[in-house]
Amino acid sequence: GNSVTQMEGPVTLSEEAFLTINCTYTATGYPSLFWYVQYPGEGLQLLLKATKADDKGSNKGFEATYRKETTSFHLEKGSVQVSDSAVYFCALRGAAGNKLTFGGGTRVLVKP
Amino acid sequence: GAVVSQHPSWVICKSGTSVKIECRSLDFQATTMFWYRQFPKQSLMLMATSNEGSKATYEQGVEKDKFLINHASLTLSTLTVTSAHPEDSSFYICSAVEWDYGKEQFFGPGTRLTVL
């Protein structure tokens, strides 16, 4: 079956630091890949996505590239802000159907 | 656009009672809605998939008689936790899919259930 593995947190950074959250996946065929963000007390929001190999998703300064050869979709941001403190989830959706498979989530805390 | 609401946002109930949680798509028609459960500091676990007008499809290990799902219309799905017990305390999140958006799921803000 499909699975997503992402680095465990928490990740604590200073403002303006570089952020990387690793995500690798196992799936058959050609899944779509997503990063969701969950701010404290809120539901999930789609941060970015990529639907085919070598696609780069980007939003709000965050980027992730769909790497089929390494089955990875690592999330990066060059300069984080305190407002980026949240839990980040990597997820995949199989080629057929609507179901999402989530990674365990990574809590990020950015200190001023 | 593509807003999903949940009601209530939080609920506290006594053990043995039933609790109903509503999930609504406010500005689109949802062909499919999903119900997830999230434990503290953990990921989302898919509980079931509901399609309007048909029975929900439950994931392995989820008790269908305990977690009743009704997708009454293209904008409303309900999750009823029957005879709730403290171990049912959790954060329940729904999501909805509109076909025109290419199967993207839009998530509700979640409902925190505490069973005393």
Side-chain angles (χ1 to χ4, degrees):
Chain A
N2 297 334
S3 68
V4 177
T5 303
Q6 62 182 101
M7 60 188 288
E8 291 188 21
V11 175
T12 303
L13 303 166
S14 296
E15 212 166 17
E16 299 184 0
F18 185 86
L19 170 68
T20 299
I21 304 176
N22 290 339
C23 171
T24 56
Y25 68 89
T26 302
T28 55
Y30 299 90
S32 295
L33 302 174
F34 304 83
W35 277 101
Y36 286 87
V37 58
Q38 186 180 31
Y39 297 103
E42 299 183 13
L44 273 69
Q45 301 175 27
L46 178 64
L47 181 59
L48 53 84
K49 66 179 180 182
T51 57
K52 60 182 187 296
D54 299 326
D55 266 2
K56 177 186 283 188
S58 61
N59 186 27
K60 298 181 180 179
F62 290 89
E63 292 184 341
T65 301
Y66 188 143
R67 301 286 188 198
K68 188 158 181 67
E69 63 276 15
T70 54
T71 62
S72 65
F73 193 54
H74 304 322
L75 182 68
E76 297 181 338
K77 185 173 185 180
S79 177
V80 293
Q81 305 300 314
V82 173
S83 57
D84 293 324
S85 297
V87 181
Y88 293 82
F89 292 94
C90 184
L92 73 79
R93 186 183 67 218
N98 294 332
K99 289 184 181 181
L100 288 171
T101 300
F102 286 90
T106 302
R107 185 174 299 276
V108 173
L109 176 60
V110 180
K111 295 185 174 181
Chain B
V3 177
V4 176
S5 70
Q6 282 184 242
H7 178 79
S9 55
W10 59 270
V11 56
I12 301 172
C13 69
K14 293 182 178 180
S15 186
T17 61
S18 294
V19 175
K20 180 184 285 188
I21 302 170
E22 293 186 348
C23 176
R24 292 182 184 272
S25 55
L26 297 185
D27 50 3
F28 66 99
Q29 293 185 325
T31 53
T32 305
M33 288 184 171
F34 298 90
W35 286 95
Y36 295 86
R37 184 172 178 177
Q38 185 180 27
F39 292 98
K41 298 185 179 180
Q42 294 188 28
S43 189
L44 279 73
M45 179 193 79
L46 179 63
M47 299 175 66
T49 304
S50 75
N51 295 289
E52 185 266 341
S54 61
K55 290 185 178 180
T57 302
Y58 290 81
E59 296 298 302
Q60 193 171 11
V62 177
E63 299 176 60
K64 60 181 67 177
D65 293 332
K66 180 164 189 64
F67 298 100
L68 300 179
I69 292 172
N70 181 26
H71 196 149
S73 73
L74 283 172
T75 60
L76 173 65
S77 176
T78 60
L79 167 68
T80 301
V81 183
T82 62
S83 186
H85 291 283
E87 57 266 29
D88 299 324
S89 298
S90 192
F91 196 53
Y92 292 89
I93 300 174
C94 73
S95 69
V97 175
E98 181 188 29
W99 188 255
D100 287 347
Y101 277 83
K103 300 189 289 184
E104 179 176 344
Q105 289 188 32
F106 298 97
F107 286 81
T111 296
R112 182 160 303 283
L113 169 63
T114 301
V115 184
L116 302 177

